[in-house]
Structure formats: structure tokens, C-alpha cells
């Protein structure tokens, strides 16, 4: 085997080891937030469209109300997700401190930097939730925006939301 092929094989083996060691649980917080945010955006915005459309036939009022609901819902989801993940972060940091104290008594002074890299990120989860809510809310908003007739608008919203829920789920 020539030296170039050996080097390529070593490089390939090193890449495979790195890929196997990747911790996918780091993605769990923002991925969960994104899925829940998108589903909530779809359902709550569709419900808002149906409720407002039943009372007010003017499409401009419906669009303005739904846009306000989109902004309020995205902010609400982001704040809720931030608080939730921040609470989890506090718990994990407290547990790490307890574990480090116990480990330091046994092994001596030792600080594990890798443990800090796997901690949940509240800002990332909040941003994912707000963005996903907005994307989910845009689907029924677009479905309703160009249809003036109430019954057709409701049918279009229900169809769009049903298809989008199948895609997001």
C-alpha cells in the first residue's frame, strides 16, 4: 500500500470515529421547540382565522388580526421556551457542580469542559420556537389572504393546515 493511500485511509477512519461520537442530544431542545412551535402556529392561527372570519367578513380585518396573533404567539412561544429551557439549564449546572465536588474529593481538582458543551441553550430554543411558530402561522395566513368568500376561505385554511400538519408531524 502506498503512503498516500495509507494517509487517506487514516483520514477516513478518523472522520468515521468523529461522526460516531457526535452527540445528537444537543439538538433535542431546539428541535422539540421548533416542532411544537410550528404545530402551535398552524393550529392557533387557523383557529383565529376561522373565529375572526365568522364575525368580520372584511379580509383586511382578518389579515391584520391574524398578523397581530402571529407576532403575539411567536413572542409567547419564545418566552415560554426560554423560561423552560433556562430552568433545565439551572438544574443541570447545579448537578454538574455537585458531581464536580464529589469528583474533586476523590480525584483532585478536575474541571470537565466537555460537560459544559452539552448544556441546553435557552436562547437557541427560544429562537427556534419563535421562528417555527411564525412559519407555521404563515401557512393559514397565506391560505386565507387572497380569498374573499367566507366559506371558501375556511375550506382553504382547513385544507392548508391539514396538509401542513402532516408535513410538520
Amino acid at each position: 500500500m502506498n503512503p498516500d493511500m495509507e494517509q487517506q485511509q487514516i483520514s477516513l477512519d478518523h472522520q468515521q470515529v468523529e461522526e460516531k461520537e457526535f452527540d445528537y442530544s444537543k439538538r433535542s431542545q431546539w428541535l422539540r421547540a421548533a416542532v411544537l412551535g410550528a404545530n402551535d402556529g398552524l393550529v392557533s392561527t387557523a383557529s383565529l382565522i376561522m373565529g375572526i372570519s365568522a364575525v368580520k367578513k372584511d379580509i383586511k380585518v382578518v389579515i391584520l388580526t391574524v398578523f397581530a396573533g402571529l407576532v403575539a404567539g411567536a413572542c409567547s412561544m419564545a418566552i415560554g421556551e426560554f423560561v423552560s429551557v433556562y430552568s433545565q439549564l439551572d438544574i443541570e449546572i447545579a448537578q454538574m457542580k455537585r458531581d464536580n465536588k464529589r469528583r474533586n474529593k476523590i480525584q483532585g481538582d478536575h474541571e470537565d469542559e466537555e460537560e459544559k458543551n452539552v448544556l441546553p441553550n435557552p436562547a437557541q430554543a427560544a429562537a427556534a420556537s419563535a421562528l417555527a411558530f411564525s412559519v407555521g402561522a404563515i401557512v393559514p395566513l397565506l391560505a386565507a389572504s387572497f380569498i374573499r368568500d367566507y366559506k371558501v376561505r375556511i375550506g382553504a385554511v382547513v385544507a392548508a393546515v391539514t396538509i401542513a400538519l402532516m408535513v410538520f408531524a
Side-chain angles (χ1 to χ4, degrees), residues 22-64:
F22 183 76
D23 185 14
Y24 291 101
S25 67
K26 292 178 188 177
R27 296 181 186 174
S28 65
Q29 291 299 325
W30 68 264
L31 186 60
R32 179 188 61 81
V35 170
L36 293 176
N39 288 337
D40 194 29
L42 279 167
V43 173
S44 62
T45 305
S47 300
L48 188 59
I49 288 172
M50 288 187 264
I52 295 298
S53 293
V55 176
K56 256 330 203 182
K57 304 297 182 205
D58 185 18
I59 190 68
K60 291 178 185 177
V61 172
V62 173
I63 291 172
L64 183 62

Side-chain angles (χ1 to χ4, degrees), residues 48-106:
L48 188 59
I49 288 172
M50 288 187 264
I52 295 298
S53 293
V55 176
K56 256 330 203 182
K57 304 297 182 205
D58 185 18
I59 190 68
K60 291 178 185 177
V61 172
V62 173
I63 291 172
L64 183 62
T65 304
V66 171
F67 186 73
L70 182 153
V71 172
C75 290
S76 174
M77 291 293 290
I79 291 168
E81 196 63 40
F82 184 87
V83 169
S84 173
V85 175
Y86 198 84
S87 297
Q88 181 183 352
L89 177 66
D90 280 346
I91 292 168
E92 289 189 26
I93 287 174
Q95 184 62 42
M96 281 175 48
K97 285 180 181 178
R98 283 191 293 273
D99 291 345
N100 283 338
K101 280 182 185 177
R102 198 173 320 131
R103 191 180 312 132
N104 289 343
K105 286 181 183 177
I106 297 169

Side-chain angles (χ1 to χ4, degrees), residues 9-21:
Q9 184 63 35
I10 290 171
S11 176
L12 188 63
D13 290 341
H14 184 66
Q15 257 183 339
Q16 289 173 346
V17 168
E18 283 182 3
E19 287 176 8
K20 289 179 184 176
E21 292 178 5

Side-chain angles (χ1 to χ4, degrees), residues 102-119:
R102 198 173 320 131
R103 191 180 312 132
N104 289 343
K105 286 181 183 177
I106 297 169
Q107 298 175 348
D109 200 19
H110 180 276
E111 188 74 24
D112 196 0
E113 195 64 34
E114 259 184 53
E115 287 179 351
K116 291 182 179 179
N117 291 335
V118 298
L119 292 174

